[in-house]
Amino acid sequence: MSNLRKTYEGGRVVAVDNISLEIKDGEFFTFLGPSGCGKTTTLRIIAGFEYPDEGSVYLGNEDVTFKKPYERNTAMVFQNYALWPHMTVYENVAYGLKVRKVGEAEQKRRVREILELVKLSGMEDRYPSQLSGGQQQRVALARALVVQPSVLLLDEPLSNLDAKLRLEMREEIKKIQRGLKITTIYVTHDQEEAMSISDRVAVMNFGKIVQIGTPEELYFAPKELFVATFFGKPNILDGIYKGEGIVEIAKGIELGVTVLSQAGLKEGDKVKVVVRPEHIAIRGRKQAESAKVWKIRGKVTMRMFAGATQELKISIEGNDGLYVYISAPSDLPIQAGEDLEIEIPSSRALAFSLK
Amino acid sequence: MSSAVFRRLRFELDRLLLLQIFFPLTYLIIFMVLPILTILLSARNYSLSLLFQPMYFNLHPTGSIYTLNKFENTIFLQFTGPSFGVILNSIIIAAIVTASASLLGIVVAFILARYKFRLKMLLRIMAIVPLLMSPFINAYVVKKLIGPGFGYNTLSWVLSHLTGMDLRISFGGIAGVILTQIITFYPIVYLNVFSSMMNIDPSLEEQAENLGSKGFKLFRTVTFPLSLPGLIAGAALVFIFSLEDVGAPIIFGIRDVLSYQIYNYFQGVRVNIASPETGALALTMLLISLTVFVLIRRQTSLRQYAMVSKGGRWVPRERRLGLKGKVAVYFVVFPLVILTMLPQIGVFLLAFSERWGSDPLPSGFTIINFIELVEIKGVFRGILNSLLYSTVAVGIIVFLGLSASYVVARLKVRGISLLDYLTTMPLAIPGLIFAFGYFYFFHRYFPNTALDPLYNPALPLILVYSIRRLPFTSRSVFAGLQQTHISLEESSLNLGASRIRTLSYIVIPLIALNIASGAMITFVYCMGETSASITLGGLGGDVSSPNHKGPITMVMLDLITSGRLAGVNLAAALGVLLMCIQIAVIVIITMIFKQSYAFIGV
Ligand SMILES: Nc1ncnc2c1ncn2[C@@H]1O[C@H](COP(=O)(O)OP(=O)(O)O)[C@@H](O)[C@H]1O
Ligand SMILES: [Mg+2]
């Protein structure tokens, strides 16, 4: 895609703003961003349901920007599955093959294979209304996969499933994609889903791409505050940059930080420091993952049990209203009201300029 | 800019969509817009001052509202109504009918929408009986019931027996026309207001009650204003229907109205004495109804219809009736609604009786009238003609309606709303205007071809039907498309299917029930079409010739007005036939298809 731009309402709503990127053959690529940021629009431009105001879309070396949807070899799985209620599972899945004039025997074979792949063998004669949500999802996937598209497009395919099924299907999709080595473009607003399933992720906001990278890159080395805060529930501390990797987060309390953003920082700049709860250690009880740590004294003011972990709210000593959250293994014996010393590795405290 | 527009069009349109736009557009322009525009042409030769002659526009009316006479012990009270000239009469009648029908319609709608009581379902069914089609013959029955005549009419007969006095009350002339039209048209208001009321979010009324509003105040401040769109649509349609109704004026012998004058033009055409001023009168009628159409445009567009038809998302609020309410419902509303059913009941009785002379009720049970429908060649010919014309028209309409509705529902290109307007406009254009426009346009520019009504009215009638009844199918199809998520089509296109394949394998099967319902309703209303049928249809010979070209409704009018022996009984039998077809279709659509049967109106 190069310089894609799409506006609605006579230019007043910019849905997609100057997007350029390249997706590799066989890659699992995800657009991630909050609702309304332009993910669906981007996907629909790729599928050919919309055309961009500016820019082009290429499949391989071919410019398909103004090709009709049925002239591109893409296959989309819709958020609501869009299964045809008047056709059986078999007819739904075979539709694309019929359109492509694949022979009867070949059709049968391919539908059978794909239904096996998505674990729906034996359901051929059912109608969509006789299937559970998860099964409908699999039919939609099978219908898209069976035509061997050059790109598989998935628009929030798991959002209508319950939590447990969502995890299962996520794994399933990943496995199938790996097996078929099919280029896949995935859209979601769920950061955890994006991280776990993708080779690369493009984080979007307000129609723009904020950062593209592997899940690890986005998690450990976000280039912008938006990306850093988009994953998990990080602590965000206000502070003043003191130079040489030091930020003052409250009177007399300093923190060693890492600056990743390209803009750079000057002394006296206002900054936000992002620290993830899971990266904060507790002296003597939870080991820090790096030796270079900054120590701060605090008091446990609240403890919330969350199964495998416990979440601790630590008020910083001598600073009313300043606190951080820590995530620790739930078997660590910690009581509310306890005084302790926390350790923040400077490599995990990311400072972003407010400009 | 222009290249962007061009690029956009190229992307959005393909050959099938272009066909779906241009076929209905061209069809509507040739067979609706052009014939109607030529009415302007035909009126051109007359200065409009002509219309202010006393014959058309008279502020010093002739005749009085009623006359009271007494001969010995017999009291004669005759309501007739003064005449204000052709144009003013039409407007005054339409205004009175609209106001009265609105009042009655609102009351019935409100009671049915908001209260729970025994026999409610029965009242709902009874309230739509007047919409069962029995053209001309229902007006005839009304005349028998309350109109002037020798001896007693049914009303006087009942009153005399009740009071013991010899009281003869009759409603004739304009008064008769007004009463007939109120009875016939009030359900249009009722249905429109009812659907508006059912679509009001119950929490809006609950909030008002919560703030202390109740009873009539609640109705006046919340319920009524929110159901105004339905009232406006219903009232406007009643106004137009009253304006163009030619049945009641013919039966009650009122010539001083626009509709009769235009009808009369066609009577003259046959013998070459057509009045040339008719063009100006047709133009007047067209302008009045177009004004009204502009008023209700929002309520009748396909898009608006779809919004209304989404009703029933919530459980509407229903209250129990208090004692006063019960009295009002059982002793006022029920009797009123029963009165409005009398014409249809009378038609049934008449169809199964031997005669209804100067007695208060028809007498002599027989089924000979139904046998004669087949045996009398001219009558049977009318039935066959109607079946043929309606079937062909429905075929055209399904094609037109499917195309136009699809485009309006799915295409996001500016200017498409024009097609929406054109598709729904026939609802508001009087049939007589079509008839006149067709005659003027096709007789003048295509003389002695199949399009010339004077040469052969068959094709022009099919064409008029296909335009006038188009809204019934297109709105049904549109509603179906609205309920079908667009992603069902997109996933087909995405898998490589062409538009035409997507249309025939995905779209049409998904909305098949809507198409079928729309087509059946359309068929019913083609069979019952009157205005064009009796004017254009009358140009192809009358019942006495076995090969005439007229449809059922023309035959009915012929039978009633020709003074033929048992003619009215035969006409009533035809009316029963029409009503039975309509009832069958209502039952199929609501019980088997589980769709809603769209009566005239929103
Ligand atoms: N057909 C449309 N008409 C007008 N605005 C639209 C249309 N489609 C999307 N938008 C707007 O474009 C923006 C991006 O929408 P979308 O791509 O659906 O976001 P996402 O899928 O990321 O939630 C939103 O502000 C949305 O309101
Ligand atoms: Mg979306």
Side-chain angles (χ1 to χ4, degrees):
Chain A
M1 283 162 254
S2 70
N3 306 312
L4 278 191
R5 184 180 160 83
K6 174 78 185 174
T7 59
Y8 288 112
E9 324 260 326
R12 268 173 289 138
V13 178
V14 183
V16 174
D17 195 0
N18 201 21
I19 287 189
S20 301
L21 56 85
E22 194 170 323
I23 295 167
K24 298 187 201 72
D25 208 16
E27 192 174 20
F28 199 118
F29 190 91
T30 297
F31 286 100
L32 171 68
S35 167
C37 71
K39 308 178 297 283
T40 297
T41 307
T42 310
L43 205 65
R44 290 172 61 82
I45 292 176
I46 300 172
F49 297 127
E50 313 270 353
Y51 70 101
D53 300 350
E54 288 163 34
S56 317
V57 180
Y58 299 89
L59 285 181
N61 291 325
E62 188 190 2
D63 183 345
V64 296
T65 317
F66 290 101
K67 280 252 158 82
K68 308 274 188 216
Y70 44 85
E71 294 165 342
R72 324 178 172 201
N73 194 22
T74 67
M76 182 147 168
V77 175
F78 289 77
Q79 188 170 359
N80 60 355
Y81 316 143
L83 297 182
W84 299 304
H86 62 300
M87 296 185 188
T88 60
V89 168
Y90 181 90
E91 287 164 342
N92 263 285
V93 176
Y95 187 85
L97 298 175
K98 287 213 178 75
V99 169
R100 287 167 171 71
K101 301 205 164 57
V102 174
E104 195 76 23
E106 167 93 357
Q107 261 181 46
K108 283 223 173 75
R109 187 181 60 75
R110 278 168 68 174
V111 172
R112 200 182 56 233
E113 275 176 17
I114 211 78
L115 285 180
E116 222 159 87
L117 189 68
V118 299
K119 304 198 178 120
L120 279 180
S121 303
M123 304 269 184
E124 285 85 349
D125 294 329
R126 297 219 192 160
Y127 283 91
S129 57
Q130 299 167 312
L131 299 177
S132 70
Q135 291 169 329
Q136 291 182 4
Q137 165 78 73
R138 288 162 202 265
V139 178
L141 192 61
R143 187 176 67 183
L145 288 171
V146 78
V147 299
Q148 300 170 343
S150 40
V151 192
L152 177 66
L153 307 171
L154 303 129
D155 188 0
E156 312 227 7
L158 306 182
S159 60
N160 285 342
L161 302 178
D162 61 45
K164 187 162 165 289
L165 210 53
R166 204 175 309 161
L167 287 183
E168 249 176 70
M169 277 311 292
R170 187 202 287 180
E171 223 181 291
E172 204 84 38
I173 291 177
K174 180 78 189 165
K175 220 171 73 195
I176 292 171
Q177 190 267 344
R178 277 285 146 75
L180 301 176
K181 295 193 179 59
I182 186 169
T183 314
T184 302
I185 306 181
Y186 192 94
V187 159
T188 180
H189 66 267
D190 180 333
Q191 40 95 9
E192 198 194 314
E193 198 173 295
M195 294 302 219
S196 61
I197 206 170
S198 321
D199 295 328
R200 277 195 307 156
V201 176
V203 181
M204 287 182 75
N205 199 19
F206 295 120
K208 286 198 174 65
I209 288 189
V210 186
Q211 187 173 352
I212 301 181
T214 63
E216 289 78 10
E217 280 167 355
L218 295 173
Y219 188 75
F220 291 115
K223 291 211 186 88
E224 287 199 26
L225 183 61
F226 175 78
V227 179
T229 55
F230 201 70
F231 298 98
K233 286 178 290 180
N235 295 293
I236 304 171
L237 305 167
D238 290 308
I240 311 276
Y241 192 59
K242 291 287 173 187
E244 298 174 13
I246 307 285
V247 168
E248 187 183 55
I249 56 169
K251 197 129 190 76
I253 302 183
E254 292 187 337
L255 201 59
V257 298
T258 304
V259 182
L260 292 169
S261 64
Q262 289 127 328
L265 285 176
K266 289 196 313 293
E267 216 178 304
D269 280 356
K270 282 192 174 167
V271 293
K272 286 204 185 280
V273 181
V274 175
V275 191
R276 299 184 191 287
E278 57 271 32
H279 292 150
I280 302 179
I282 304 169
R283 186 160 180 231
R285 277 181 268 186
K286 183 188 170 202
Q287 186 70 40
E289 55 179 281
S290 127
K292 265 196 78 184
V293 295
W294 291 72
K295 302 188 170 72
I296 302 173
R297 297 205 58 84
K299 185 192 194 82
V300 180
T301 48
M302 203 191 294
R303 172 176 175 272
M304 280 169 289
F305 180 71
T309 60
Q310 54 183 327
E311 238 178 79
L312 306 168
K313 183 176 180 182
I314 312 285
S315 295
I316 307 296
E317 204 176 82
N319 280 282
D320 264 5
L322 182 64
Y323 48 83
V324 294
Y325 285 97
I326 304 182
S327 163
S330 52
D331 51 7
L332 269 191
I334 294 178
Q335 301 302 321
E338 217 174 304
D339 288 311
L340 39 67
E341 196 171 28
I342 59 172
E343 299 176 336
I344 302 179
S346 52
S347 59
R348 293 291 176 241
L350 308 174
F352 295 92
S353 162
L354 274 188
K355 276 177 286 181
Chain B
M1 182 64 204
S2 73
S3 83
V5 170
F6 183 70
R7 209 167 51 170
R8 152 143 221 173
L9 285 179
R10 252 209 47 170
F11 184 83
E12 298 270 355
L13 302 176
D14 51 29
R15 250 174 277 154
L16 179 67
L17 273 174
L18 282 175
L19 180 75
Q20 286 179 304
I21 296 174
F22 286 105
F23 173 63
L25 203 60
T26 319
Y27 194 92
L28 286 164
I29 286 176
I30 297 179
F31 297 119
M32 178 170 80
V33 178
L34 284 186
I36 286 173
L37 280 182
T38 53
I39 293 178
L40 280 176
L41 217 59
S42 81
R44 159 193 68 167
N45 298 331
Y46 303 92
S47 84
L48 283 179
S49 63
L50 174 112
L51 299 177
F52 289 95
Q53 288 172 0
M55 178 185 170
Y56 298 115
F57 206 96
N58 183 1
L59 291 175
H60 307 282
T62 54
S64 59
I65 295 182
Y66 67 92
T67 55
L68 186 60
N69 294 310
K70 211 173 159 183
F71 292 108
E72 292 167 14
N73 282 334
T74 308
I75 303 169
F76 291 91
L77 178 58
Q78 289 174 302
F79 291 91
T80 44
S83 170
F84 292 84
V86 170
I87 295 177
L88 266 188
N89 279 348
S90 279
I91 294 176
I92 290 171
I93 292 175
I96 295 176
V97 168
T98 305
S100 320
S102 297
L103 204 63
L104 189 55
I106 292 170
V107 170
V108 175
F110 182 68
I111 287 170
L112 283 174
R114 289 292 181 269
Y115 289 101
K116 208 156 66 184
F117 50 89
R118 263 165 191 279
L119 301 181
K120 172 172 169 160
M121 203 54 213
L122 183 69
L123 187 65
R124 274 190 73 171
I125 294 173
M126 284 172 17
I128 55 170
V129 166
L131 286 181
L132 294 179
M133 301 174 313
S134 48
F136 309 111
I137 192 68
N138 65 338
Y140 177 84
V141 170
V142 173
K143 193 176 169 195
K144 282 302 224 183
L145 294 174
I146 60 170
F150 310 110
Y152 296 96
N153 58 28
T154 314
L155 174 67
S156 309
W157 182 76
V158 171
L159 284 178
S160 306
H161 277 74
L162 286 180
T163 60
M165 289 195 296
D166 197 3
L167 187 63
R168 309 232 180 138
I169 299 180
S170 69
F171 296 84
I174 289 179
V177 171
I178 289 177
L179 271 178
T180 310
Q181 292 184 348
I182 293 173
I183 290 174
T184 317
F185 297 141
Y186 95 88
I188 296 171
V189 178
Y190 145 63
L191 286 172
N192 281 281
V193 174
F194 180 78
S195 82
S196 266
M197 283 181 176
M198 295 303 271
N199 275 295
I200 297 174
D201 184 339
S203 64
L204 295 176
E205 289 182 345
E206 278 159 11
Q207 176 71 79
E209 276 185 299
N210 184 240
L211 293 172
S213 178
K214 66 176 175 81
F216 185 68
K217 186 171 179 78
L218 176 67
F219 173 78
R220 191 177 55 78
T221 53
V222 180
T223 315
F224 180 71
L226 288 175
S227 42
L228 217 48
L231 177 63
I232 293 174
L237 287 171
V238 169
F239 191 92
I240 294 173
F241 290 151
S242 165
L243 194 67
E244 72 149 334
D245 177 42
V246 70
I250 292 176
I251 301 293
F252 281 91
I254 290 298
R255 295 166 162 262
D256 292 345
V257 286
L258 286 169
S259 55
Y260 191 92
Q261 292 292 317
I262 298 172
Y263 163 73
N264 203 37
Y265 174 84
F266 286 88
Q267 300 299 106
V269 161
R270 283 199 269 190
V271 285
N272 265 319
I273 50 156
S275 147
E277 294 96 331
T278 313
L281 294 179
L283 182 63
T284 312
M285 187 190 262
L286 175 64
L287 290 180
I288 298 174
S289 37
L290 278 186
T291 313
V292 175
F293 176 67
V294 172
L295 207 74
I296 59 165
R297 203 177 49 186
R298 272 178 51 82
Q299 272 75 35
T300 53
S301 79
L302 289 175
R303 291 189 182 285
Q304 176 68 24
Y305 172 70
M307 280 176 58
V308 170
S309 67
K310 260 188 243 137
R313 272 161 303 179
W314 36 59
V315 183
R317 283 159 50 79
E318 282 188 342
R319 280 157 276 181
R320 296 196 171 281
L321 282 170
L323 183 66
K324 262 194 278 177
K326 277 188 182 146
V327 171
V329 165
Y330 292 114
F331 292 96
V332 180
V333 177
F334 264 90
L336 258 179
V337 170
I338 289 173
L339 282 182
T340 64
M341 294 165 59
L342 290 182
Q344 270 68 15
I345 295 174
V347 170
F348 266 94
L349 294 181
L350 190 56
F352 287 101
S353 69
E354 284 170 350
R355 68 198 152 269
W356 191 356
S358 47
D359 315 324
L361 285 173
S363 57
F365 178 83
T366 176
I367 56 164
I368 185 82
N369 299 318
F370 289 93
I371 296 169
E372 296 211 318
L373 293 188
V374 184
E375 299 216 316
I376 301 178
K377 290 216 168 57
V379 176
F380 193 56
R381 168 59 48 192
I383 297 176
L384 293 182
N385 285 344
S386 270
L387 287 173
L388 174 69
Y389 302 164
S390 302
T391 308
V392 178
V394 167
I396 300 174
I397 286 174
V398 166
F399 199 60
L400 278 176
L402 196 57
S403 303
S405 297
Y406 185 83
V407 167
V408 173
R410 294 289 191 253
L411 203 58
K412 288 156 254 143
V413 174
R414 236 188 284 153
I416 280 305
S417 52
L418 173 71
L419 201 55
D420 187 348
Y421 288 155
L422 286 180
T423 314
T424 46
M425 207 152 97
L427 266 185
I429 297 179
L432 289 169
I433 295 295
F434 275 108
F436 189 80
Y438 265 54
F439 183 76
Y440 202 84
F441 183 61
F442 290 114
H443 177 56
R444 164 172 287 213
Y445 297 107
F446 302 89
N448 298 321
T449 64
L451 284 170
D452 176 6
L454 205 51
Y455 177 73
N456 182 349
L459 185 59
L461 275 179
I462 290 172
L463 294 172
V464 174
Y465 289 2
S466 72
I467 299 276
R468 287 202 74 196
R469 301 313 190 212
L470 172 61
F472 289 96
T473 294
S474 57
R475 57 180 28 186
S476 182
V477 169
F478 190 83
L481 287 170
Q482 292 268 296
Q483 286 152 13
T484 316
H485 200 282
I486 189 167
S487 64
L488 293 173
E489 288 160 52
E490 286 178 342
S491 52
S492 166
L493 294 176
N494 178 246
L495 287 172
S498 62
R499 281 229 179 245
I500 185 108
R501 187 181 185 110
T502 304
L503 191 69
S504 38
Y505 284 79
I506 307 291
V507 181
I508 292 180
L510 284 175
I511 59 170
L513 278 186
N514 300 80
I515 298 176
S517 312
M520 288 167 75
I521 296 168
T522 306
F523 180 79
V524 165
Y525 287 107
C526 284
M527 293 291 287
E529 205 276 352
T530 54
S531 314
S533 304
I534 60 168
T535 46
L536 297 178
L539 299 174
D542 56 31
V543 194
S544 54
S545 80
N547 282 318
H548 69 88
K549 299 289 189 288
I552 288 182
T553 44
M554 187 215 80
V555 171
M556 290 173 74
L557 183 61
D558 254 13
L559 289 171
I560 297 173
T561 54
S562 63
R564 179 193 185 105
L565 192 67
V568 290
N569 304 66
L570 276 176
L574 282 173
V576 169
L577 182 72
L578 285 179
M579 288 194 269
C580 287
I581 295 177
Q582 190 175 12
I583 291 169
V585 166
I586 292 175
V587 168
I588 292 175
I589 289 176
T590 56
M591 306 279 190
I592 302 180
F593 292 180
K594 308 273 182 224
Q595 305 272 311
S596 65
Y597 179 93
F599 284 99
I600 291 192
V602 176

